[in-house]
Amino acid sequence: MNGGLPMVDVRGVHKSFGDLHVLRGVDLQVEQGSVMVILGPSGSGKSTLLRSINHLEKVDAGAVSVDGRLIGYRRRGNRLHELTEREILHQRSEIGFVFQNFNLFGHLTVLQNVVEAPVSAQGRKRRDVESLAMELLERVGVAEKAHDYPRRLSGGQQQRVAIARALALQPKLILFDEPTSALDPELVGEVLDVIVELAHSGTTMVVVTHEIGFAREVADTVVFMDEGRIIESGSPEQVLDNPSSERTRSFISRVL
Amino acid sequence: MRVVPVRHPWRWVGIAVVLVLAAQFAHGLATNPGWDWPTFAKYFAASSVISALGTTVKLTLYGTLLGFALGIVLAAMRLSKSPFLQVVSFSYVWAFRSIPLIVQLLFWFNIAYLYQTLQFGVPFGPALFTVNTNDLFGPLGAAVLGLALHQAAYAAEIIRGGILSVDAGQLEAAAALGIPRRRQFFKIVIPQAMRGILPNAANEVISLFKGTSIVSVMAIPELFYQVQVIYGRNGRVVPLLMVATVWYIVLTTLLSIVQYYVERHYAKGSARSLPPTPWQKIRRGWSRVRRAAAATPSFAHAPERGAAG
């Protein structure tokens, strides 16, 4: 707890891949316990922004802090010292990340997938983590698959396992990168249900998605991005129903 | 309705031709006195041959273990973010793939000609202790060193290929979860890379096993050298070559069986169910034959029921 400080604080972030200027000065604050949904056309930089929050992408300019701590750097006087990989890995282990393509470890069973990081990255006791993992798998509804390999699961089940895997780290924050975009339409609902349940339980999260209905239901803040900038942000009613920008309006009318 | 399977008459012709050729060859093996089976039998399990076989196995084992250990390090260096390590690894592979193995072995064999003694101490400064090079590297040591260094260059490329074949998303997930670097490599990447590495690695081990015969140029009493010595003495070239051949075949067969089961182990999670072992296949095939034999009288009825339903 940090008394009023935002959980995520992104300031003046720029990022280029070669000649492609993907993020062009992004500022963003996510309050503790709140849910932020980021919308925007593909190529607008929303995934890059999300990935820079846990330093999967290193930003070119600007700063990202999570829970009051600078990500990837340490400030000493007037200088920023890069953290070692070990320190960065430690920071990441406090931030959950759910990928579009699940990225479950194919050679490990569902339970081993969930148990791996809390044991190896956080040094927790395997037995404790295993019982927590079973509870989490129960919570996301795939407990009966605990000893199967991921390939035997449907996409929806795999993504729910991936969410349990992120939760097992007991993160301060969970980032979702288009969690339902790789799923067959009839499987989207089961994954969204899990994320909605998490949102209502007070987990701080940032979700990049195309699911407008989901944004309306759970978001505290909706952010619309285009061409590497935040075009507008506000409550779902504001951004989805009365967008002030023409670009937002045309995007929403296209995806609805 | 009865289902008539497609017939394949040419398969039967092919089988007949192959059977006739195989029978002719077997007949020749048995009747041609040139094969000289009594001499083969006399030397096949002779103690000199068995101990030479031991040397061959030892060379293969050490060459493989040292070669692949160094290969892992070289592959990791090549894939690291450090340009320095990348260049070192690249240069190593370049150098050792460029030099023919036999030339390299002869260099190691003659290392004492270049450096009579090896000194350990401060670079360009005083020596702390000194050893005679020939004491440090006997011929066997030189052979193991040469084989291992050569093997490492190839192993490095095979391992690197396997690692590159692992989906980048796996590493990204491991990084996002904060799994320590070394554990990412050994627990997440290597087990999945194994599927790509193993068939090529087994090729390398088998070719190293037979390639140890090249060491005979250094007068090391491995299998091939030993049979040459024997047929030099008694002049019975063919049966003694057969002694070596059969031993190479036997051990390669064992290695192939080991390879099959190791690959099966690393196939975990990659297929919905593991392929059956040959033994399981035989048992299943046999029980199918028995079931078919038992069911023959009622066979004609079964499809009709299926068609009606």
Side-chain angles (χ1 to χ4, degrees):
Chain A
M1 289 295 149
N2 51 32
L5 262 178
M7 177 56 84
V8 180
D9 194 0
V10 175
R11 294 201 184 264
V13 160
H14 284 263
K15 173 73 185 175
S16 298
F17 296 109
D19 294 337
L20 197 65
H21 201 166
V22 183
L23 296 179
R24 302 164 180 245
V26 175
D27 292 277
L28 191 77
Q29 279 77 39
V30 184
E31 296 310 318
Q32 176 120 27
S34 74
V35 177
M36 173 178 285
V37 170
I38 303 180
L39 302 173
S42 49
S44 59
K46 46 194 197 313
S47 281
T48 307
L49 173 62
L50 196 73
R51 292 160 59 86
S52 60
I53 295 177
N54 75 344
H55 211 66
L56 279 179
E57 303 291 351
K58 195 166 156 183
V59 300
D60 301 331
V64 178
S65 322
V66 171
D67 202 20
R69 291 205 354 239
L70 212 50
I71 292 291
Y73 298 91
R74 178 181 294 118
R75 183 174 290 138
R76 283 218 195 102
N78 256 341
R79 288 194 201 172
L80 287 182
H81 294 262
E82 272 186 29
L83 294 183
T84 62
E85 182 166 2
R86 203 191 156 94
E87 291 167 318
I88 290 170
L89 286 169
H90 178 73
Q91 287 189 327
R92 287 206 193 110
S93 72
E94 299 182 335
I95 303 171
F97 198 101
V98 176
F99 294 89
Q100 181 176 350
N101 295 314
F102 334 133
N103 289 344
L104 294 179
F105 304 130
H107 63 303
L108 301 180
T109 63
V110 163
L111 184 63
Q112 288 168 334
N113 262 278
V114 179
V115 170
E116 172 60 32
V119 172
S120 70
Q122 297 180 324
R124 281 151 59 192
K125 279 212 192 75
R126 182 169 291 273
R127 200 177 309 154
D128 302 346
V129 177
E130 272 175 5
S131 61
L132 170 69
M134 285 311 297
E135 275 171 40
L136 290 170
L137 290 173
E138 192 80 48
R139 184 167 163 196
V140 299
V142 284
E144 76 282 8
K145 301 282 185 187
H147 298 289
D148 277 327
Y149 288 98
R151 210 164 301 242
R152 301 187 69 133
L153 274 58
S154 72
Q157 289 171 328
Q158 289 191 47
Q159 191 61 297
R160 286 184 280 149
V161 172
I163 293 170
R165 181 172 74 170
L167 286 172
L169 289 164
Q170 300 175 323
K172 302 170 184 170
L173 163 73
I174 306 186
L175 309 171
F176 292 86
D177 189 5
E178 304 203 22
T180 58
S181 298
L183 297 176
D184 291 339
E186 79 270 21
L187 301 179
V188 169
E190 62 186 61
V191 171
L192 286 184
D193 288 346
V194 169
I195 304 177
V196 169
E197 190 259 327
L198 274 178
H200 292 319
S201 74
T203 314
T204 313
M205 38 199 235
V206 181
V207 187
V208 168
T209 185
H210 293 292
E211 300 288 335
I212 302 281
F214 169 79
R216 200 184 296 279
E217 184 178 354
V218 299
D220 297 301
T221 314
V222 173
V223 169
F224 177 72
M225 278 185 81
D226 196 14
E227 294 179 345
R229 291 196 183 83
I230 290 178
I231 305 299
E232 63 181 298
S233 77
S235 67
E237 297 75 35
Q238 234 174 304
V239 175
L240 299 175
D241 302 331
N242 299 299
S244 55
S245 140
E246 182 47 44
R247 269 193 279 181
T248 317
R249 205 187 318 263
S250 81
F251 174 77
I252 288 166
S253 69
R254 262 181 293 131
V255 281
L256 272 184
Chain B
M1 204 102 49
R2 231 182 115 190
V3 177
V4 181
V6 181
R7 309 281 181 202
H8 300 281
W10 285 105
R11 277 190 198 166
W12 293 104
V13 174
I15 290 170
V17 169
V18 170
L19 281 179
V20 168
L21 289 174
Q24 276 183 310
F25 182 67
H27 180 251
L29 279 180
T31 58
N32 186 338
W35 291 106
D36 194 0
W37 294 112
T39 307
F40 172 89
K42 183 175 160 203
Y43 286 105
F44 184 69
S47 64
S48 62
V49 169
I50 296 297
S51 88
L53 183 68
T55 306
T56 292
V57 170
K58 224 185 286 175
L59 284 169
T60 309
L61 192 68
Y62 294 156
T64 302
L65 291 180
L66 292 174
F68 275 84
L70 183 55
I72 289 184
V73 174
L74 287 166
M77 283 164 73
R78 182 74 188 278
L79 293 168
S80 76
K81 287 177 196 144
S82 152
F84 168 70
L85 293 180
Q86 286 172 17
V87 169
V88 170
S89 170
F90 178 85
S91 309
Y92 180 95
V93 171
W94 166 76
F96 280 88
R97 284 200 309 198
S98 307
I99 307 169
L101 176 55
I102 191 162
V103 175
Q104 206 221 121
L105 285 168
L106 289 172
F107 264 117
W108 288 113
F109 192 55
N110 293 301
I111 189 84
Y113 164 77
L114 286 171
Y115 306 98
Q116 284 82 17
T117 59
L118 290 179
Q119 300 184 327
F120 298 88
V122 183
F124 305 108
L128 297 177
F129 60 97
T130 302
V131 289
N132 193 319
T133 308
N134 267 337
D135 295 342
L136 193 64
F137 297 109
L140 199 67
V144 166
L145 190 64
L147 290 173
L149 292 179
H150 177 81
Q151 199 55 56
Y154 289 89
E157 288 297 272
I158 288 172
I159 292 166
R160 188 169 71 92
I163 291 172
L164 289 177
S165 72
V166 176
D167 177 30
Q170 296 286 306
L171 266 185
E172 204 159 61
L177 289 163
I179 297 171
R181 192 70 198 269
R182 184 186 299 261
R183 188 149 172 104
Q184 287 181 25
F185 188 69
F186 286 106
K187 180 81 193 209
I188 306 296
V189 177
I190 287 287
Q192 300 191 67
M194 276 307 215
R195 301 217 350 115
I197 292 172
L198 277 170
N200 293 320
N203 257 354
E204 284 296 309
V205 174
I206 287 169
S207 88
L208 176 65
F209 168 60
K210 290 176 301 176
T212 53
S213 55
I214 210 171
V215 168
S216 59
V217 298
M218 297 158 80
I220 290 171
E222 47 72 51
L223 184 57
F224 186 59
Y225 181 83
Q226 192 60 43
V227 302
Q228 280 179 305
V229 167
I230 298 172
Y231 72 60
R233 220 165 41 211
N234 66 12
R236 308 198 179 236
V237 177
V238 169
L240 278 153
L241 285 179
M242 280 307 286
V243 167
T245 305
V246 171
W247 274 120
Y248 284 124
I249 290 174
V250 166
L251 285 185
T252 303
T253 306
L254 288 179
L255 283 173
S256 305
I257 292 170
V258 171
Q259 175 190 0
Y260 183 88
Y261 283 94
V262 175
E263 277 184 21
R264 196 166 177 275
H265 170 78
Y266 282 104
K268 266 186 324 190
S270 66
R272 282 176 172 246
S273 57
L274 286 178
T277 63
W279 178 236
Q280 286 170 338
K281 268 189 215 166
I282 290 169
R283 282 211 327 230
R284 266 178 226 174
W286 173 239
S287 69
R288 207 175 306 134
V289 169
R290 273 189 13 204
R291 239 180 297 128
T296 307
S298 60
F299 181 70
H301 300 290
E304 274 171 358
R305 234 187 295 145

